[in-house]
Amino acid sequence: MARELHQQTLTELAAGLESGDFSSVELTEALLARVADHDGALNAFITVTGEQALAAAKAADEARAAGKGGVLNGLPLVHKDIFCTRDVLTTCGSRMLENFVSPYNATVVDKLADAGAVVLGKTNMDEFAMGSSNETSYYGPVKNPWHLDYSPGGSSGGSAAAVAARLAPAATGTDTGGSIRQPAALTGTVGLKPTYGRVSRYGMIAFASSLDQAGVITRSSADAALLLGVMAGFDERDSTSIDHPVPDYTTALSQPVDGLRIGVVKQHFDAGLDEATGKAVREALAVLEANGAKLIDVDMPNIDLSVPTYYVVAPAECSSNLSRFDGVRFGHRADEPEDLFDLYCRSRGEGFGAEVKRRVMTGTYVLSAGYYDAYYLKAQQVRHLIADDFHKAFEEVDVIAGPTSPTPAFRLGDKVDDPITMYLNDIYTVGANLAGLPGVSTPCGFVDGLPVGLHLVGPHWGEEALIRCAHNYEQLTDWHFACPEDYS
Amino acid sequence: MSGAWEVVIGLEIHAQLATKSKIFSGASTAYGAEPNTQACLVDLGYPGVLPVLNEEVVHMAAMFGLAVNATVAPRSVFARKNYFYPDLPKGYQISQYELPIVEHGELFITDDDGNEKRIGITRAHLEEDAGKSTHEGLGAFSGIDLNRAGTPLLEIVSEPDLRSAKEAVAYMRKIHSIVRYLGISDGNMQEGSFRCDANVSVRPRGQAEFGTRTELKNLNSFRFVEKAINFEIERQIDVIEDGGDVVQETRLYDANKDETRPMRSKEEANDYRYFPDPDLLPVEIDAAYIEAVRDTLPELPDAKRHRFIDDYGIRADDADILTTSRSLADFYEEVIAATAGEPQGVANFVVGELMGALNKAGLGIEDSPVSAAAVAGLLDRIKDNTISGKIAKEVFEAMWAGEGSADEIIEAKGLKQITDSSAIEAIVDKVIEANPGQVAEYKAGKDKLIGYFVGQVMKETGGKANPGQVNQILKQKLG
Amino acid sequence: MCARARTGVERGRAEGVSHKKKQQEFPVSLDKDQVQQIAVLARLRLADDEFAETVDKLSRIVDFVDQLSQADTTDVVPMAHPLDVAQRLRADAVTEPNERDRFQENAPSTQDGLYLVPKVIE
């Protein structure tokens, strides 16, 4: 009694394609039909690439018939619109790139395509990945499939919503401060952010270069393992990608959780955490403990400073990264500029939304003469202290577990007026970015009908421990099978 | 300069490194291509692209560091210098700031008094060049060509050790000759591969603290460096002597008017917001790498100069000139190896005749129409008394004009020196007979007239008689 | 192999870097002039209502990040990068062909292969 195609995970679909139960064209058509039916309400897509997807699906079917094709042959997925895709609109959620057709592919896009993946479209996101609610997108907010009045989180909100609503079995995302894990938690999906340097950043439009990392949003950790194996690896076009062996992540799936040492950070259960969310997470930890994992208390004295640290470092880097959008070689250009200065100021003033401008200005300020030491340098020092907290913790534990987000999804519009409240959404996730560590969020319950995520962080190159722990948890519970009512 | 004032100059020299591809991308660095045909996605600062460092620039910077007796940093860091300008595609220039690849170097120049003077090199760092703006024929617009964007530069910063425009030029020439010896830059100033900014200030002689400096931008010839600095020194002294203050500013040298003027654009309190480039990691260089580079270093100008003086016994000023470029020094040594002529005589000929002709024709030694072997062939004929030095000039002119080797020309033109003493004696007799008055005067003690007789004999022989022999025979006969 | 960073304090001492803890007074909040200056430096034109909102929100952000001053960072080396590894180098080879026409399809204004901007005055 095979479930409908859109309800199947990537791993199940791979098996179905392999056994000839259905073709990639049939699968792709079914999903494109769902996108057509539902995306009007969800706004998860900026661009749907139906024609290209069907052509790729046909090619995948032919390859399979010829006994060829990569590990993802014929499997559909969607890309966050931050990844450059050749000859396809790539907006990064911004008016600035409203008409930008990339002349090249991101390495991640190439790798997935080479493995046979079929791309259904490009997903909506916070503008330049700056936001935690998807409300900063120039293309309108994404709705949470669990409740259309709620935010799916951000910045990879379109990817998370598309996977949660069963419009696509998997999506790429990027995570600078929690942008994969937080929307995954808020939509009941699995979100994996690998170790910094694990996946190439080439072709991924930069927000904060020392924090950005590409990852995936899926419906199971097994699917995340499958995709990571394809995406990971050294790229000669990215100096910060690391030449570190890529294991077969799916082998981690068969390892039991027995004996795994799980660190519980007391600061992660402080006053800022919603009570019901905290309860769901504690119950999840109890499930893991009951199955042989050891819970160990961990103290991270500097972790409370991770959000202010992040909101200095990330804006500093973004202020510089976004200088290239000047209306000269690509992107929005103001009409009839009076002079060069006017061209710059108006092109950028019109092309960027309010949150992007705020972050660019914050970053400009913290790097400027007289403030550099007090803010930027200080933040990089505190960053070191936070990273050391993690490294010390990983001398005693294999993974660190806690909540992904302090609350379940919030109503659209609720936090837009207060940047600080919005920034505090990232309180449990930014630490991993500051230290370059891998993290995963997997569904662990519901609060008032909205999903809650369990957050796991591992040491550098510790993806296997994360996948092992999350996968075991998923086998012991069925939260990740839960589907929003209107999308079953 | 005016004796009451001391001039303080520091130079920032930008040498384009002679790599095939750019510092952070695989686009070509070849000069003169159609606009934007050598600007790839990385050079254009496209969204999502990343820089990857060219190994050759690190190698070249290390060579330079060793050549100027500097520290090659075991760890150096690229930083972003943030400012908006249309020829700067990313809105920041990737450069090195706090941790440059080369620090604490030195070189020696000959100062205005002819003494050797040490000039400190504060640092040399790697950075990317910007593009170019053109303004011709585009109406209210400027056109941006980014072919040059991303070309590797080594910025070499001197200590404020230079005390005159002449010293500044001597220092710049020295750097120029070093980078060309090392083969790390073509040093082509017309194409902008070697350019210089000068920081200039004056202070009352004896005062310890520096005066306010101005920065003179983009001085792209040795002559302009000297003229611009001299103009600026005069201007600053005038300002101060008129009771004014020198304003710290950036000034452009206008070669047509021979003056400097403040730059009109930007500089509204530039705040470059340097920070470490998160797209690049620290460059680490170990001792083994440095030793390997050291082993491949060519002989440098100073060492070569000393060797020329010591081994060949030539004059220091000739050694200076002959070692300004590796190819000239090589040419000289090729001649030495092939001729029986004395090294100083070879130097005289190369520095005098050959370089004179090359300069006149606007050619470099590489383009000399007369090869080193050919020069040796000519000098051999002087050495073996086949021709005189004077006739040699005539032969050289013919060689330059492509009329053949020295021997061929001597033969064809019948320029062979008369060394047969009976033939010379006959002519001497003839001259003595024709000039009885001068002979009497000579005999009466007017020794100087010997020159007159030599001249007459040379005239009779068409310059082909050996002057030494003529002299000797004349003295005998008049004796 | 784990590319774990040495601890901040260790690195500070090992590299002889001294970032003496200067108890700098954190500037609190921003005024309109400062925000205007930042907007110029960042080349951003803000509409009037946007400007007022920006002054308010930027001030709140700056006040928020001011809590960093609490941290004792004596002898801690700034961490610019999450991994303690060295730059990898590429061979000096020309690998990028001329694709000007394709790259300029995204350009708002070009002529004769040049990108056009309002006249630049030096």
Side-chain angles (χ1 to χ4, degrees):
Chain A
M1 45 153 272
R3 286 170 300 140
E4 287 184 83
L5 293 182
H6 65 267
Q7 284 291 2
Q8 297 187 26
T9 65
L10 209 58
T11 309
E12 290 168 327
L13 292 170
L17 284 169
E18 184 58 31
S19 61
D21 297 348
F22 49 88
S23 69
S24 178
V25 169
E26 286 165 347
L27 173 59
T28 302
E29 281 173 343
L31 292 173
L32 286 171
R34 280 185 66 80
V35 172
D37 285 349
H38 294 289
D39 200 49
L42 289 171
N43 198 29
F45 284 76
I46 291 175
T47 304
V48 179
T49 52
E51 266 181 47
Q52 295 98 311
L54 287 170
K58 191 160 169 278
D61 286 336
E62 285 164 7
R64 189 177 300 279
K68 293 179 194 155
V71 294
L72 302 177
N73 191 49
L75 290 171
L77 50 77
V78 291
H79 284 307
K80 185 179 183 178
D81 208 18
I82 200 168
F83 291 99
C84 285
T85 43
R86 185 172 169 140
D87 299 334
V88 173
L89 190 67
T90 300
T91 69
C92 220
S94 182
R95 182 185 180 197
M96 180 59 84
L97 294 178
E98 197 176 3
N99 299 307
F100 180 74
V101 176
S102 173
Y104 78 108
N105 272 340
T107 298
V108 161
V109 171
D110 270 341
K111 283 193 159 198
L112 290 169
D114 290 348
V118 171
V119 179
L120 302 176
K122 308 285 295 287
T123 60
N124 202 347
M125 55 181 284
D126 278 300
E127 185 180 9
F128 284 102
M130 298 176 200
S132 307
S133 68
N134 236 288
E135 290 163 287
T136 72
S137 170
Y138 177 67
Y139 304 92
V142 179
K143 313 293 172 55
N144 192 322
W146 292 93
H147 195 310
L148 295 181
D149 292 340
Y150 283 72
S151 162
S155 66
S156 309
S159 286
V163 173
R166 275 57 175 171
L167 306 187
T172 56
T174 61
D175 191 315
T176 306
S179 279
I180 286 175
R181 292 160 289 159
Q182 183 255 18
L186 270 45
T187 57
T189 52
V190 173
L192 172 67
K193 169 224 173 297
T195 305
Y196 184 90
R198 175 77 289 185
V199 176
S200 169
R201 293 188 296 115
Y202 185 77
M204 188 175 117
I205 299 176
F207 162 14
S209 311
S210 78
L211 303 164
D212 294 342
Q213 182 61 201
V216 289
I217 293 176
T218 55
R219 291 216 306 280
S220 73
S221 295
D223 287 1
L226 177 65
L227 289 175
L228 180 61
V230 174
M231 290 163 65
F234 171 69
D235 179 7
E236 60 182 20
R237 288 188 182 273
D238 176 2
S239 296
T240 62
S241 73
I242 308 295
D243 200 357
H244 187 87
V246 180
D248 179 357
Y249 291 108
T250 58
T251 60
L253 300 172
S254 56
Q255 293 163 13
V257 77
D258 191 27
L260 192 74
R261 299 171 303 166
I262 300 178
V264 181
V265 181
K266 67 173 188 196
Q267 285 88 348
H268 282 171
F269 293 87
D270 278 353
L273 178 63
D274 165 67
E275 206 180 305
T277 301
K279 187 164 171 280
V281 172
R282 280 196 194 86
E283 282 168 10
L285 295 175
V287 168
L288 289 165
E289 190 176 28
N291 283 276
K294 269 185 245 156
L295 301 187
I296 297 167
D297 284 336
V298 169
D299 183 27
M300 300 187 71
N302 298 291
I303 198 75
D304 285 342
L305 287 173
S306 56
V307 178
T309 301
Y310 176 84
Y311 278 96
V312 171
V313 174
E317 293 183 11
C318 97
S319 71
S320 176
N321 281 335
L322 268 56
S323 292
R324 70 190 60 206
F325 300 102
D326 58 4
V328 177
R329 297 164 316 289
F330 44 73
H332 178 74
R333 181 186 184 108
D335 286 334
E336 298 181 16
E338 283 169 31
D339 54 24
L340 188 63
F341 184 76
D342 187 49
L343 169 77
Y344 285 151
C345 293
R346 279 203 293 127
S347 298
R348 291 165 59 78
E350 295 164 5
F352 293 144
E355 180 63 23
V356 169
K357 282 186 246 187
R358 270 198 292 280
R359 296 207 195 181
V360 167
M361 291 177 72
T362 305
T364 303
Y365 176 68
V366 301
L367 288 174
S368 63
Y371 303 104
Y372 180 90
D373 286 3
Y375 292 111
Y376 179 76
L377 213 58
K378 183 79 179 182
Q380 295 288 44
Q381 290 176 305
V382 177
R383 181 181 186 179
H384 216 150
L385 295 176
I386 292 167
D388 285 349
D389 278 0
F390 275 109
H391 298 320
K392 274 178 210 140
F394 286 121
E395 287 167 10
E396 291 168 41
V397 302
D398 302 307
V399 298
I400 288 170
T404 307
S405 175
T407 66
F410 44 91
R411 280 184 183 272
L412 289 164
D414 260 10
K415 296 187 178 182
V416 287
D417 291 329
D418 184 6
I420 306 306
T421 316
M422 188 67 92
Y423 293 175
L424 287 171
N425 273 299
D426 303 332
I427 189 161
Y428 306 129
T429 47
V430 292
N433 299 85
L434 290 169
L437 304 169
V440 67
S441 177
T442 190
C444 73
F446 286 86
V447 172
D448 299 332
L450 294 166
V452 173
L454 170 69
H455 186 218
L456 304 171
V457 175
H460 286 145
W461 316 112
E463 284 83 358
E464 286 165 291
L466 297 184
I467 289 164
R468 171 184 167 199
C469 185
H471 177 73
N472 273 284
Y473 178 74
E474 289 160 22
Q475 302 311 298
L476 297 165
T477 60
D478 55 6
W479 301 115
H480 68 294
F481 286 125
C483 176
E485 209 174 330
D486 296 338
Y487 302 92
S488 59
Chain B
M1 277 315 121
S2 170
W5 297 96
E6 186 181 34
V7 175
V8 176
I9 302 164
L11 292 189
E12 293 169 12
I13 292 172
H14 291 86
Q16 259 182 25
L17 296 177
T19 53
K20 298 187 200 75
S21 64
K22 293 187 178 173
I23 181 167
F24 297 119
S25 84
S28 169
T29 55
Y31 180 80
E34 285 294 301
N36 291 309
T37 55
Q38 287 174 182
C40 70
L41 293 170
V42 172
D43 308 322
L44 294 171
Y46 248 70
V49 299
L50 296 167
V52 183
L53 184 61
N54 185 336
E55 66 183 1
E56 195 53 29
V57 304
V58 173
H59 179 226
M60 289 176 167
M63 285 172 82
F64 178 79
L66 295 176
V68 296
N69 196 25
T71 307
V72 178
R75 189 166 182 271
S76 63
V77 169
F78 283 98
R80 294 183 182 178
K81 178 181 183 181
N82 294 282
Y83 64 97
F84 285 90
Y85 210 63
D87 63 12
L88 189 70
K90 298 184 294 299
Y92 58 85
Q93 179 192 31
I94 305 177
S95 182
Q96 296 187 308
Y97 187 54
E98 284 184 334
L99 297 172
I101 191 161
V102 169
E103 279 186 291
H104 314 305
E106 62 181 7
L107 56 71
F108 294 87
I109 61 167
T110 306
D111 71 8
D112 294 349
D113 303 326
N115 301 317
E116 191 164 78
K117 177 174 176 180
R118 177 189 181 277
I119 306 298
I121 294 170
T122 316
R123 57 186 277 161
H125 65 254
L126 290 166
E127 61 184 27
E128 55 180 346
D129 208 344
K132 276 182 186 166
S133 312
T134 57
H135 318 289
E136 307 294 305
L138 296 168
F141 296 95
S142 292
I144 309 300
D145 173 10
L146 297 170
N147 280 348
R148 199 179 68 182
T151 300
L153 294 178
L154 188 65
E155 178 173 337
I156 303 154
V157 182
S158 83
E159 292 287 317
D161 287 347
L162 302 160
R163 291 291 172 270
S164 72
K166 268 195 173 154
E167 285 188 12
V169 170
Y171 165 83
M172 193 177 173
R173 283 192 188 279
K174 202 54 166 284
I175 295 281
H176 189 251
S177 106
I178 289 171
V179 297
R180 295 189 61 216
Y181 262 69
L182 294 172
I184 64 173
S185 174
D186 66 16
N188 189 323
M189 296 171 90
Q190 275 91 38
E191 292 175 5
S193 333
F194 193 83
R195 46 193 206 266
C196 162
D197 302 336
N199 289 304
V200 179
S201 66
V202 297
R203 62 181 170 192
R205 203 167 285 284
Q207 178 182 300
E209 61 269 29
F210 294 130
T212 306
R213 66 184 164 84
T214 58
E215 185 179 8
L216 310 182
K217 278 274 181 206
N218 263 333
L219 308 169
N220 57 3
S221 81
F222 295 118
R223 205 161 60 91
F224 291 167
V225 168
E226 185 160 359
K227 292 181 97 169
I229 291 174
N230 278 332
F231 174 87
E232 185 59 18
I233 292 167
E234 292 292 350
R235 190 191 69 83
Q236 290 188 10
I237 291 172
D238 286 351
V239 166
I240 300 168
E241 287 183 346
D242 289 349
D245 290 315
V246 172
V247 180
Q248 183 165 346
E249 63 187 352
T250 303
R251 299 176 70 90
L252 277 182
Y253 176 66
D254 184 334
N256 295 323
K257 296 181 182 163
D258 187 24
E259 63 175 30
T260 68
R261 56 176 162 77
M263 282 181 82
R264 268 198 284 171
S265 67
K266 55 181 181 180
E267 313 282 327
E268 16 59 40
N270 254 334
D271 184 343
Y272 292 126
R273 290 158 285 140
Y274 280 99
F275 74 106
D277 189 333
D279 288 333
L280 293 161
L281 301 163
V283 177
E284 292 185 359
I285 296 178
D286 61 21
Y289 179 88
I290 291 174
E291 286 319 305
V293 173
R294 196 191 302 277
D295 288 346
T296 63
L297 283 188
E299 186 183 35
L300 290 164
D302 279 353
K304 208 181 270 293
R305 179 176 172 273
H306 284 127
R307 181 167 62 80
F308 280 16
I309 294 169
D310 295 346
D311 293 5
Y312 299 138
I314 63 174
R315 290 202 312 272
D317 56 341
D318 287 332
D320 270 346
I321 296 170
L322 290 170
T323 55
T324 46
S325 85
R326 205 163 136 183
S327 40
L328 179 59
D330 288 349
F331 188 100
Y332 172 69
E333 293 205 277
E334 272 180 61
V335 179
I336 295 272
T339 182
E342 299 301 324
Q344 182 61 56
V346 177
N348 292 346
F349 186 83
V350 171
V351 171
E353 299 307 316
L354 180 63
M355 287 186 66
L358 288 169
N359 289 342
K360 209 167 145 191
L363 295 175
I365 189 73
E366 301 85 352
D367 314 310
S368 172
V370 181
S371 70
V375 169
L378 174 60
L379 297 179
D380 279 346
R381 296 293 83 82
I382 299 175
K383 173 76 182 171
D384 67 12
N385 285 328
T386 305
I387 54 173
S388 67
K390 199 169 166 209
I391 292 294
K393 290 180 188 176
E394 194 184 333
V395 176
F396 175 68
E397 273 170 34
M399 288 168 75
W400 182 273
E403 292 173 26
S405 70
D407 286 338
E408 286 161 2
I409 292 162
I410 292 165
E411 182 64 34
K413 298 198 170 187
L415 296 173
K416 195 162 183 223
Q417 189 161 254
I418 303 164
T419 49
D420 174 356
S421 54
S422 59
I424 296 174
E425 274 178 38
I427 297 165
V428 167
D429 289 342
K430 197 175 148 197
V431 167
I432 289 174
E433 204 179 304
N435 294 284
Q438 282 82 353
V439 172
E441 280 181 59
Y442 179 84
K443 289 193 169 166
K446 205 169 175 188
D447 292 350
K448 276 185 188 168
L449 273 173
I450 190 79
Y452 170 80
F453 293 113
V454 172
Q456 291 301 306
V457 174
M458 294 310 275
K459 200 173 161 187
E460 285 289 324
T461 59
K464 288 186 284 183
N466 181 308
Q469 239 175 329
V470 171
N471 221 308
Q472 195 192 350
I473 294 168
L474 267 170
K475 280 182 178 163
Q476 264 173 18
K477 301 229 170 204
L478 291 169
Chain C
M1 181 211 69
C2 172
R4 222 202 86 176
R6 284 168 278 165
T7 70
V9 173
E10 281 165 4
R11 290 193 61 173
R13 291 183 183 142
E15 302 195 355
V17 179
S18 164
H19 286 276
K20 287 280 169 273
K21 190 185 172 197
K22 295 178 214 116
Q23 254 330 0
Q24 268 165 301
E25 282 301 308
F26 270 80
V28 177
S29 297
L30 299 174
D31 61 31
K32 282 181 186 170
D33 287 348
Q34 280 177 298
V35 172
Q36 182 54 39
Q37 243 178 7
I38 298 166
V40 167
L41 208 50
R43 299 293 188 272
L44 290 169
R45 168 82 51 88
L46 302 176
D48 291 348
D49 54 334
E50 199 183 1
F51 184 78
E53 193 194 325
T54 304
V55 174
D56 169 53
K57 288 190 173 170
L58 274 189
S59 292
R60 281 151 77 179
I61 294 166
V62 168
D63 290 348
F64 173 70
V65 299
D66 272 348
Q67 57 183 296
L68 287 175
S69 61
Q70 299 162 12
D72 180 357
T73 51
T74 313
D75 290 337
V76 179
V77 168
M79 175 174 158
H81 214 273
L83 296 173
D84 188 20
V85 289
Q87 176 65 31
R88 195 183 45 81
L89 308 172
R90 51 163 253 278
D92 179 25
V94 176
T95 54
E96 304 299 311
N98 168 26
E99 294 188 79
R100 180 179 77 186
D101 294 347
R102 219 158 66 76
F103 297 163
Q104 291 196 338
E105 281 171 20
N106 279 306
S109 179
T110 59
Q111 186 181 319
D112 305 331
L114 297 162
Y115 295 94
L116 294 190
V117 296
K119 199 157 200 126
V120 180
I121 308 154
E122 285 191 331

